[in-house]
Amino acid sequence: MEGQTTSVNNRDLEPATPSAPPALHVRDLTVAYHRKPVLWDVDLDVPRSLVAGIVGPNGAGKSTLIKAVLDLVPHASGVVEIFGKPYRRQRRMVGYVPQRESVDWDYPITALELVAMGLYRKIGWCRPVSARHRRRALEGLEEVGMADLAQRQISRLSGGQQQRIFLARALVQDADIYFMDEPFAGVDASTEKAIIAILQRLREQGRTVFVVHHDLETVHEYFDYLIMLNMRVVAAGPVAEVFTPQNLKWTYGGRLTLLDRAVDAIGQGSR
Amino acid sequence: MLSQLLRVLSLADYNTRVVMFGTMTLGIAGGVVGVFLLLRRRALLADAVSHAALPGVAGAFLLAVALGGSGRSLPLLMLGALTAGLLGMACVMIISRFTRLSQDAALGIVLSVFFGFGAALLGIIQKMRGAQAAGLDSFIYGKTASMIRSDALLIGIAALIVILVTLSLFKEFRLYTFDSDFAAGDGWPVQRLDLLLMTLVVAVTILGLQAVGIILIIAILIVPPASARFWTDSLRLMVLLSALIGALGGYLGTAISAIAPRLPAGAVIVTVLGAAFLLSMLFGPCRGVIHLALQSRALKRTTLRQNLLRALFECEEAGALHSEQQQLEYLSEIRGWSKRELRKAIRMLARSGLIYRVPGCPWQFSENGRTEAMRVTRNHRLWEVYLLEHADVATAHVDQGADFIEHVLGDAMVAELEASLPRFGRTLPQSIHGLTRFNGGSDG
């Protein structure tokens, strides 16, 4: 397709090891629910050590893309590789923050116990969570500024606090590549700032983070790399290259009010 | 009668002890597995599986008779039940996977069709060999009195295995019942864990066939954990309590059934469990009905108290009051309180020494009262600004009852809020509601 920008221009982002395999490689990924395709022929090659936004209108398949990469929904076709190897062999390098609404917040556990779940694969089958692991989970809570609420029942946390402990659970997974499904949905301003600080720290540590995102106005500020999705990949690449009015139009179609605001955002970003 | 009861309850004879071991272990197994079943929200699947077991029982009996056996061997009947139960579960999964019917429809179809078929087979059996087949009824409502020692031992040991397996996978079950997507992304074989949990559920169902019966077995899987949930927010304690309640059900059910063999054991066990549930629902400290009622009453009182403190303080700010009569009129006008409500609230404040009155004059704040009123008023006003300016995010933060707004929102946010309000005096931000009606007076 004309005007589509693929991520050939990765050298800016990864000058040190040009030959290293990309953090995420996706080829011909197609996902269908009940014979209706949700994602068509997705191709991606995303370099490592960056924060990548995934944007697109409702129903564009943003969450489905993450779930398909993580093998949570069956693929009709396609290949997914993490750091050059099939996903199934790289599971231990992957961390995941599901949508907050996807779980029952009335479940009888505390914030600390929830965060400790991120350590389960290190602990291994049938072994209990030890004091050492609880200390590590508490550190995770500290990183998101929630240490004082460690013993609180999860149902008694606010939306932003719930999102923070989800993030803390992913942090203690100690993964090299993270997939976060709408971590900013319904959070307060201070939580949003805290999450952004964590994303930047993860990138500085050389990790790669994928974030499903809704707010086009903050794209420039939050991300290095952008995947614009509308059932297929409209554009993927460094934000400065792909976040253009033309691509936005292809991604969002005729939703003009949104577009105008986004174009303003682009203007701000390039200033 | 009484001596017989004591004899049973104190497990005086060996036979009772063995049967008791079987049913109590079964109750514990049901309670432990049931916690995860409940949290996984699969309760009805278990119900369908147990009902689907009936044709298996009848089929196994017919087969045994056809091969020349007696047909009354419990392990054989259980095997039949297990086969049919698993077949029923597979049917549910196939129907909901390959058609567009929802799972509850699939459950209803399997439950009724299998059970109906089983009932038909049972009818045939009873017609053909009256005496020998009579015992099969006990599989529908349960009968511990007819349990022989080796059966009880088999049930008990199998239930013990179920308990051990579940407890050793406590962590894994907790993870996948809470967040199966995360578990799968983390590399756990979620589908196999799901299958294992369902297998454990089927196992409890089959083991409970004789003691509790097909129709009521679901109760020992659901009622104990549902009761336990009222007492605790900790999964560990919930499992422990659920196991205890299950054991109690097994114990009393067996005892009563032994004394009155005509009473179906399943019905007795379920009645005991039902009583435990009722008590838990009423008195449970976590989400019990009484606890919630008390909590809501306390909340009402706090709200009334805070609103009155604020209203009195704002009257004082407006400074337009000269008599108690005038004050009361203003107060009921501001808040729309009835006279009775207002008197009650005033008495409450007066009793705690926050306000006092010189006869004939308006109510006055005591030293403590003024501090408290200022704190409440400040909190309320700041929350109001917060809601106005940050209405788009997280209204879940708003907690007017919090001692200090800073505890919830942090100092920086509060400073920002305070800055956005016109200040009143030296310590309080001005109300954004504004008491225009009373603003004639001095500036306090």
Side-chain angles (χ1 to χ4, degrees):
Chain A
M1 172 156 303
E2 220 185 335
Q4 180 169 337
T5 314
T6 50
S7 54
V8 274
N9 202 347
N10 289 340
R11 265 154 283 142
D12 300 351
L13 290 154
E14 201 177 40
T17 48
S19 61
L24 175 68
H25 166 83
V26 176
R27 195 60 70 226
D28 288 337
L29 181 69
T30 296
V31 178
Y33 291 138
H34 285 294
R35 279 174 299 160
K36 188 172 157 263
V38 188
L39 285 176
W40 296 343
D41 293 337
V42 170
D43 291 336
L44 287 171
D45 273 294
V46 184
R48 47 184 87 187
S49 300
L50 50 75
V51 180
I54 302 174
V55 298
N58 288 332
K62 302 184 292 291
S63 292
T64 306
L65 175 61
I66 285 189
K67 286 186 175 171
V69 166
L70 296 176
D71 220 6
L72 302 179
V73 294
H75 315 164
S77 72
V79 176
V80 175
E81 285 180 1
I82 306 284
F83 299 117
K85 288 189 189 138
Y87 167 70
R88 277 163 203 273
R89 284 166 54 195
Q90 302 283 60
R91 276 186 200 273
R92 283 183 171 268
M93 308 183 86
V94 176
Y96 179 36
V97 180
Q99 279 187 26
R100 186 158 55 86
E101 290 79 20
S102 66
V103 303
D104 171 17
W105 288 96
D106 216 21
Y107 198 95
I109 47 169
T110 61
L112 187 74
E113 287 168 332
L114 188 150
V115 174
M117 285 179 174
L119 297 164
Y120 281 8
R121 69 178 168 199
K122 263 190 213 119
I123 298 171
W125 282 93
C126 301
R127 288 160 194 245
V129 180
S130 71
R132 183 165 56 91
H133 298 122
R134 273 192 290 274
R135 273 198 302 279
R136 178 71 195 92
L138 193 62
E139 283 167 24
L141 278 170
E142 266 160 27
E143 286 178 62
V144 297
M146 291 269 298
D148 49 336
L149 296 178
Q151 296 307 326
R152 182 162 296 189
Q153 194 55 35
I154 55 167
S155 60
R156 293 179 51 227
L157 298 172
S158 73
Q161 290 167 338
Q162 290 175 346
Q163 195 66 62
R164 285 181 193 221
I165 59 172
F166 254 34
L167 197 62
R169 179 176 68 174
L171 291 179
V172 301
Q173 279 186 301
D174 195 19
D176 295 299
I177 179 165
Y178 282 103
F179 294 90
M180 305 187 179
D181 204 343
E182 304 205 20
F184 298 112
V187 305
D188 52 295
S190 67
T191 298
E192 180 150 345
K193 273 181 210 140
I195 295 177
I196 278 302
I198 288 165
L199 295 184
Q200 279 159 2
R201 201 165 66 235
L202 289 173
R203 176 183 51 198
E204 279 158 23
Q205 291 165 350
R207 304 176 208 251
T208 313
V209 188
F210 291 83
V211 179
V212 171
H213 194 56
H214 270 298
D215 182 9
L216 293 174
E217 291 175 50
T218 48
V219 162
H220 269 293
E221 195 185 330
Y222 292 175
F223 305 120
D224 317 306
Y225 193 95
L226 194 65
I227 297 165
M228 302 176 81
L229 201 66
N230 194 352
M231 297 181 81
R232 60 203 172 79
V233 177
V234 175
V239 172
E241 286 173 30
V242 300
F243 196 47
T244 62
Q246 189 58 70
N247 280 337
L248 274 169
K249 205 167 156 193
W250 275 326
T251 311
Y252 286 87
R255 291 166 224 202
L256 283 172
T257 46
L258 192 69
L259 279 181
D260 290 344
R261 278 168 65 196
V263 171
D264 285 349
I266 292 170
Q268 280 163 22
S270 52
R271 228 176 279 143
Chain B
M1 181 75 191
L2 191 68
S3 63
Q4 197 189 357
L5 180 71
L6 280 176
R7 206 175 140 69
V8 171
L9 287 179
S10 61
L11 309 177
D13 52 68
Y14 180 67
N15 209 43
T16 317
R17 276 206 294 274
V18 176
V19 172
M20 209 57 116
F21 162 72
T23 50
M24 283 177 77
T25 323
L26 175 73
I28 295 172
V32 171
V33 174
V35 167
F36 295 104
L37 181 69
L38 188 79
L39 290 172
R40 182 68 187 158
R41 297 169 189 267
R42 285 286 180 79
L44 280 177
L45 183 61
D47 199 27
V49 167
S50 62
H51 280 74
L54 185 61
V57 174
F61 182 85
L62 280 174
L63 194 70
V65 170
L67 296 175
S70 80
R72 277 294 286 139
S73 141
L74 184 64
L76 186 72
L77 296 179
M78 278 184 175
L79 202 65
L82 182 67
T83 315
L86 289 176
L87 195 67
M89 190 162 82
C91 285
V92 172
M93 286 175 173
I94 288 169
I95 293 174
S96 51
R97 171 108 189 245
F98 291 104
T99 72
R100 297 220 172 180
L101 285 173
S102 61
Q103 203 188 21
D104 57 337
L107 288 171
I109 292 166
V110 168
L111 186 150
S112 52
V113 170
F114 272 68
F115 192 74
F117 183 56
L121 285 183
L122 222 56
I124 294 172
I125 291 171
Q126 258 151 7
K127 272 236 170 80
M128 80 186 199
R129 286 171 171 250
Q132 208 178 13
L136 276 195
D137 298 2
S138 66
F139 285 95
I140 297 183
Y141 295 115
K143 193 169 192 180
T144 49
S146 63
M147 244 164 148
I148 55 172
R149 211 180 295 162
S150 62
D151 290 351
L153 216 54
L154 172 76
I155 291 172
I157 289 169
L160 217 52
I161 294 173
V162 168
I163 297 168
L164 288 178
V165 171
T166 314
L167 290 184
S168 66
L169 289 171
F170 183 87
K171 173 170 112 279
E172 286 75 12
F173 280 151
R174 165 155 72 186
L175 176 64
Y176 115 91
T177 54
F178 173 65
D179 191 346
S180 62
D181 274 356
F182 177 83
D186 202 40
W188 299 91
V190 165
Q191 271 161 359
R192 261 176 274 170
L193 280 170
D194 201 34
L195 201 65
L196 180 62
L197 181 63
M198 286 307 136
T199 309
L200 291 170
V201 166
V202 172
V204 170
T205 310
I206 305 306
L207 292 175
L209 277 183
Q210 187 162 28
V212 191
I214 283 169
I215 296 186
L216 297 175
I217 186 69
I218 184 73
I220 72 162
L221 283 160
I222 299 305
V223 182
S227 312
R229 188 69 183 89
F230 285 107
W231 298 94
T232 178
D233 274 334
S234 148
L235 187 58
R236 260 164 224 288
L237 273 181
M238 187 177 162
V239 168
L240 187 71
L241 276 175
S242 179
L244 281 176
I245 294 170
L248 185 76
Y251 175 72
L252 290 180
T254 312
I256 295 172
S257 175
I259 294 161
R262 275 160 189 273
L263 275 181
V268 175
I269 291 176
V270 172
T271 310
V272 171
L273 294 180
F277 179 77
L278 190 68
L279 288 178
S280 307
M281 194 179 91
L282 287 177
F283 300 110
C286 255
R287 39 188 72 197
V289 174
I290 292 177
H291 173 76
L292 289 183
L294 286 179
Q295 216 172 34
S296 121
R297 184 159 162 258
L299 180 69
K300 266 191 198 142
R301 286 171 67 98
T302 312
T303 312
L304 188 62
R305 178 173 164 279
Q306 291 198 346
N307 284 347
L308 180 61
L309 277 172
R310 178 179 176 184
L312 279 169
F313 188 83
E314 289 181 344
C315 282
E316 205 180 80
E317 273 184 347
L321 303 171
H322 303 294
S323 71
E324 188 197 355
Q325 186 58 33
Q326 203 185 3
Q327 186 183 37
L328 293 184
E329 266 167 31
Y330 282 150
L331 287 175
S332 43
E333 208 168 325
I334 298 175
R335 287 284 173 176
W337 283 314
S338 69
K339 284 247 154 60
R340 203 169 138 260
E341 243 177 330
L342 184 60
R343 287 225 180 78
K344 194 176 131 200
I346 285 182
R347 267 205 308 277
M348 193 159 70
L349 289 188
R351 254 203 313 268
S352 45
L354 296 175
I355 55 175
Y356 67 96
R357 161 183 65 164
V358 181
C361 295
W363 287 91
Q364 306 267 326
F365 286 117
S366 66
E367 199 59 35
N368 278 345
R370 184 175 310 276
T371 319
E372 178 67 2
M374 279 170 72
R375 182 185 71 76
V376 166
T377 309
R378 171 173 175 277
N379 270 357
H380 280 201
R381 288 181 183 173
L382 289 173
W383 278 124
E384 282 158 9
V385 192
Y386 179 75
L387 277 176
L388 277 184
E389 296 190 351
H390 302 272
D392 49 334
V393 291
T395 43
H397 285 266
V398 177
D399 178 7
Q400 295 218 341
D403 282 351
F404 288 98
I405 185 170
E406 286 89 343
H407 291 179
V408 189
L409 292 183
D411 293 333
M413 173 61 92
V414 171
E416 188 185 312
L417 292 177
E418 283 196 321
S420 67
L421 275 175
R423 294 185 71 81
F424 181 87
R426 279 181 305 137
T427 47
L428 266 189
Q430 176 94 47
S431 169
I432 47 168
H433 284 171
L435 286 171
T436 45
R437 180 183 285 266
F438 307 112
N439 265 354
S442 71
D443 257 5

